[in-house]
Amino acid sequence: METSIKEHEYWMQICIELGKQAMQDGNPPVGSILVKDKQIIGEGREAGKSKSDITCHAEIEAIRDAVRKGNTHFLSEALLYTTHEPCIMCSYVIRHHKIPVVVMGTEVPLIGGCSSEYPILTTDTISIWSAPPQIITGVLKEECDLSTGDFRKNFK
């Protein structure tokens, strides 16, 4: 699954736009897509606040969208793009579906599935899980951070 930096940036820009849509609804500016063979097979935007459902994180929404569209069998071959590091909850869902590559814009050290003290996304100590996904960080990080700053200023 060799993908160029330009391709990663192209897909991340779509996530950033989804994040902006989420923010218009009062949610944190997180957008996520699943890509297989240069095609989007699922997309999601943060909706926990607007749907009053904490499980409506962008990554889970993208996975739900892919499943709804009949793409369940492609998840183990897809790249997941997200503006923000998947949280612990999302990381569990990603591992469950054996998504092999996660590309993120910015880290979330407090609750992130890689950078927090609970690295669900990267641990190899749970014997029933397949190998952890490849993690690619920092793609369009400044743009992702800027959206987060805008959200914090406007939605305290």
Side-chain angles (χ1 to χ4, degrees):
M1 263 190 235
E2 198 60 37
T3 307
S4 73
I5 294 294
K6 287 286 184 205
E7 285 179 84
H8 287 320
E9 289 175 348
Y10 171 80
W11 297 117
M12 187 61 71
Q13 192 60 53
I14 293 169
C15 293
I16 290 168
E17 291 305 314
L18 288 168
K20 288 177 182 176
Q21 293 171 20
M23 194 164 63
Q24 289 174 351
D25 292 335
N27 298 290
V30 185
S32 183
I33 58 173
L34 285 153
V35 176
K36 163 96 169 70
D37 296 330
K38 301 182 192 252
Q39 299 280 330
I40 296 174
I41 63 168
E43 70 175 47
R45 59 184 189 212
E46 198 79 6
K49 289 185 183 294
S50 59
K51 290 185 178 180
S52 298
D53 181 349
I54 191 66
T55 68
C56 293
H57 285 199
E59 299 86 352
I60 293 173
E61 292 290 273
I63 292 167
R64 286 176 175 155
D65 185 49
V67 169
R68 228 181 347 262
K69 292 175 177 173
N71 291 317
T72 305
H73 56 288
F74 292 129
L75 293 175
S76 64
E77 302 170 14
L79 286 81
L80 184 134
Y81 287 86
T82 183
T83 56
H84 291 67
E85 177 181 357
C87 73
I88 297 161
M89 173 180 65
C90 294
S91 295
Y92 180 88
V93 176
I94 291 165
R95 293 296 298 268
H96 174 79
H97 287 287
K98 300 178 178 150
I99 296 170
V101 179
V102 175
V103 182
M104 66 178 114
T106 192
E107 293 181 342
V108 185
L110 187 61
I111 59 166
C114 300
S115 64
S116 77
E117 64 179 288
Y118 307 104
I120 299 298
L121 198 56
T122 57
T123 188
D124 60 4
T125 61
I126 300 174
S127 61
I128 60 170
W129 282 355
S130 59
Q134 175 188 359
I135 306 296
I136 300 169
T137 62
V139 177
L140 298 182
K141 179 184 182 334
E142 293 78 22
E143 290 90 332
C144 295
D145 287 343
L146 185 62
S147 290
T148 300
D150 289 344
F151 176 77
R152 288 189 178 133
K153 281 189 280 189
N154 295 313
F155 298 95
K156 293 185 180 184

